[in-house]
Amino acid sequence: MKKHILSAVIPALLVPPAMACTTILVGNEASSDGSFIVARNEDYSANNPKHFLIHPRVEHQKGEFKSHANDFTYPLPETSLRYSAISDFDTNDLSMGEVGFNEAGVGMTATETIYNGQQVLKFDPYVEKTGITEDAIENVILPRIHSAREGVELLGKIIEEKGAGEGFGVAFVDEHEVWYLETGSGHQWMAAKLPRDQYFVSANQGRLRNYNPEDKANYLGSKTLISFAEQHGLYSLKDGEFDFHKAYSQDVENDITYNYPRVWTVQHMFNPELKTTITDGTAFPVFLKPAHKISVADVQTALRNHYQGTAHDPYANNNPKEPYRPISVFRTQESHVLQVRPKLPKAIGEVAYVAIGMPSLSVYVPYYQGMEHYLPGYDKGTDKFSDDSVSWKYRQLQTLVMQNYNAYAPEVEKAYAEFEKNTAVQQTAMEKEYLKLYQSQPQQAQKVLQTFEDKVMQDALSLTEQLTRQVMTQMTHDTDMKYHFEGA
């Protein structure tokens, strides 16, 4: 990061929205190993532990999905595909799925909170009472789709017919492509297919711009997307080509400190030659060809960014009032990186790397699409600390470290980095063994995969517990020295 540019302007801090995320998408020709990558930090509340779930395939299903967030309902599919989800603790594990893969090989992440323009919302407001929201999107869409494009089409259909209850961006991935959909208003939306040789970054703001309704291979949108904008004075033919962002999104003062720095930082990580300035978000490219191929580890590094090495690092500088909102925040509930490698069997070719809690103080553990179960404790936890919850085990360590970030964070970060490096070696060995067995001995191949998963989950937990004891020991000593009262 170019410190002198990042430190150039510090506008007054505005109160940020409660729900906020950062999304990164990478095409297969822009990645280092030919994989598609879809990633996001899910940010909301540190006291909201996540439940990791695998929903089984269900045949002859009847009834309807009922949202926990509002009165949105939708018929259940007759056949519900098996799919994974990371849900909130207070939704009975039936909604707020956030991220996962289904048995057809489709992955999705939902949602990136975005804010549509106040002018367009006067004409077509969000359908807050009965429209689809983040609470429903994965659990309604993922059990029934067989491609990324089908996911876009179904979500778009729901937005047009039932409305969107809020502004959001949703990414879909399969073995062929990545699609990203953004709302425009209560019933308007557009989606673009990610160019194979490029990447995309979003940070709580509508980012899509170009839209060609004739090019249905690369663009999809609501039936009246352009005509609605024309009708209400949001776009005119004399303005030139239709710009979705100008018509349906917004650029306000809060974006300068809350959103622009995150997009700028990632783009300058992957393209150091860029000349954009951090305060001019309207000039940021939408899609970019990276200067160097991007790896899963590169994306994880980006999701861990908190402007380290600059005057804007709120943790190293012990400044909770830092104007620039970091990518990695304490209230991150989980951070995920979906990787799809088309040349491998789906069971091992699709991996969700998930760091529980604040990613810069957590570890990315690989969860393969073909795994059958999580360890006990992955589906436990409420908003009150408990020892039986895996989410709370990670959060406990992070809370302790944040009491003195400079003293405790380096050792934690170092230990987790070594763990991820060693795990990558173990993954290669496991995948090689799986490939030898999966056609002739599928049950044995499945056993190899699940044995690996059980071990890496347990090893990550054991390391976390060890680090917690280590930090607690040091904190006890530091407190003793601070209030020692040794006497004469």
Side-chain angles (χ1 to χ4, degrees):
M1 181 180 295
K2 300 174 182 175
K3 181 176 179 180
H4 65 284
I5 297 178
L6 185 58
S7 303
V9 178
I10 309 180
L13 178 64
L14 298 179
V15 178
M19 301 181 71
C21 305
T22 305
T23 294
I24 302 173
L25 314 177
V26 182
N28 64 321
E29 294 177 11
S31 68
S32 60
D33 61 358
S35 62
F36 295 100
I37 299 172
V38 167
R40 181 170 63 92
N41 281 355
E42 181 201 355
D43 308 329
Y44 180 51
S45 168
N47 284 73
N48 188 31
K50 306 300 294 187
H51 289 190
F52 286 58
L53 307 165
I54 298 176
H55 295 281
R57 181 184 179 93
V58 180
E59 304 280 359
H60 311 297
Q61 190 172 223
K62 297 180 180 180
E64 62 181 9
F65 171 92
K66 296 181 180 180
S67 173
H68 284 73
N70 60 7
D71 293 332
F72 173 83
T73 62
Y74 203 75
L76 294 172
E78 183 177 353
T79 297
S80 179
L81 302 177
R82 175 187 185 271
Y83 71 102
S84 57
I86 303 180
S87 297
D88 284 4
F89 77 92
D90 57 353
T91 60
N92 296 324
D93 299 335
L94 298 176
S95 62
M96 199 64 82
E98 293 299 330
V99 61
F101 285 110
N102 69 17
E103 65 179 81
V106 185
M108 68 179 292
T109 177
T111 67
E112 178 75 28
T113 301
I114 64 174
Y115 299 89
N116 298 119
Q118 293 303 305
Q119 190 65 21
V120 69
L121 292 177
K122 291 179 182 178
F123 305 117
D124 183 24
Y126 298 132
V127 186
E128 296 182 3
K129 185 173 178 57
T130 58
I132 192 167
T133 67
E134 180 174 357
D135 178 74
I137 290 175
E138 185 193 336
N139 297 78
V140 166
I141 304 294
L142 198 55
R144 63 179 88 214
I145 60 174
H146 296 78
S147 71
R149 184 187 180 94
E150 184 184 352
V152 171
E153 292 172 338
L154 176 56
L155 180 54
K157 178 175 179 286
I158 293 173
I159 293 170
E160 289 183 62
E161 294 179 354
K162 299 186 70 97
E166 59 194 7
F168 52 73
V170 178
F172 299 87
V173 60
D174 60 24
E175 62 183 354
H176 302 293
E177 55 198 16
V178 174
W179 280 85
Y180 189 67
L181 177 150
E182 288 182 349
T183 56
S185 60
H187 297 86
Q188 303 293 338
W189 64 277
M190 80 155 283
K193 184 169 73 173
L194 178 70
R196 289 178 175 271
D197 62 346
Q198 297 178 44
Y199 71 94
F200 168 86
V201 187
S202 178
N204 301 129
Q205 187 181 35
R207 296 269 294 122
L208 298 180
R209 304 193 81 102
N210 295 335
Y211 175 70
N212 182 355
E214 304 303 319
D215 183 5
K216 296 188 182 301
N218 295 295
Y219 300 96
L220 293 169
S222 47
K223 298 179 185 66
T224 60
L225 184 66
I226 297 179
S227 61
F228 180 89
E230 288 182 291
Q231 177 186 350
H232 295 287
L234 305 169
Y235 165 68
S236 173
L237 287 173
K238 66 182 181 182
D239 297 332
E241 290 188 3
F242 174 74
D243 185 324
F244 177 74
H245 179 87
K246 286 185 178 179
Y248 286 100
S249 192
Q250 65 177 14
D251 287 276
V252 297
E253 186 178 359
N254 190 47
D255 291 319
I256 297 172
T257 53
Y258 198 77
N259 303 330
Y260 293 172
R262 287 180 282 157
V263 175
W264 185 95
T265 295
V266 176
Q267 289 191 341
H268 280 251
M269 285 176 62
F270 296 157
N271 289 90
E273 76 283 0
L274 283 177
K275 304 300 182 184
T276 54
T277 60
I278 202 166
T279 56
D280 189 8
T282 59
F284 296 168
V286 177
F287 301 113
L288 269 169
K289 186 174 182 178
H292 301 285
K293 301 284 182 152
I294 300 170
S295 67
V296 167
D298 292 332
V299 174
Q300 292 169 350
T301 297
L303 293 175
R304 283 171 162 149
N305 186 273
H306 48 91
Y307 314 127
Q308 53 267 42
T310 79
H312 291 278
D313 184 341
Y315 314 133
N317 299 326
N318 193 26
N319 180 20
K321 300 295 185 180
E322 165 56 46
Y324 287 156
R325 191 270 207 202
I327 294 173
S328 176
V329 290
F330 185 70
R331 62 187 174 91
T332 301
Q333 298 174 147
E334 52 83 21
S335 173
H336 54 262
V337 181
L338 301 184
Q339 180 188 33
V340 175
R341 294 173 291 175
K343 295 181 180 180
L344 292 174
K346 288 183 176 64
I348 61 169
E350 300 181 343
V351 193
Y353 294 85
V354 183
I356 297 175
M358 184 182 188
S360 52
L361 292 176
S362 190
V363 60
Y364 283 96
V365 174
Y367 302 96
Y368 285 85
Q369 190 254 28
M371 67 182 291
E372 295 178 329
H373 62 258
Y374 295 99
L375 292 182
Y378 268 83
D379 59 350
K380 302 291 184 183
T382 69
D383 55 353
K384 295 180 174 56
F385 174 83
S386 60
D387 290 320
D388 64 344
S389 166
V390 168
S391 284
W392 271 113
K393 288 182 184 293
Y394 284 96
R395 185 62 77 187
Q396 180 182 33
L397 173 61
Q398 294 159 19
T399 301
L400 292 174
V401 171
M402 290 298 287
Q403 305 315 302
N404 191 337
Y405 186 89
N406 288 322
Y408 310 139
E411 286 301 314
V412 171
E413 293 169 348
K414 179 181 177 182
Y416 277 152
E418 187 66 23
F419 181 91
E420 290 173 357
K421 180 180 177 182
N422 293 336
T423 299
V425 174
Q426 296 170 32
Q427 284 181 262
T428 300
M430 181 278 290
E431 291 174 4
K432 185 177 181 180
E433 187 175 359
Y434 182 94
L435 289 171
K436 289 180 180 178
L437 297 169
Y438 83 102
Q439 289 183 323
S440 59
Q441 302 179 62
Q443 291 183 334
Q444 185 61 30
Q446 182 62 41
K447 183 179 179 181
V448 167
L449 173 56
Q450 191 61 53
T451 298
F452 166 82
E453 287 288 4
D454 291 344
K455 182 178 185 301
V456 75
M457 283 187 282
Q458 186 56 62
D459 287 350
L461 279 172
S462 297
L463 174 59
T464 299
E465 291 168 347
Q466 174 191 325
L467 290 168
T468 300
R469 292 191 294 269
Q470 179 179 316
V471 172
M472 188 63 189
T473 299
Q474 186 61 46
M475 285 185 71
T476 302
H477 172 76
D478 294 345
T479 305
D480 183 17
M481 294 300 99
K482 185 176 180 179
Y483 297 102
H484 199 56
F485 299 111
E486 187 170 352

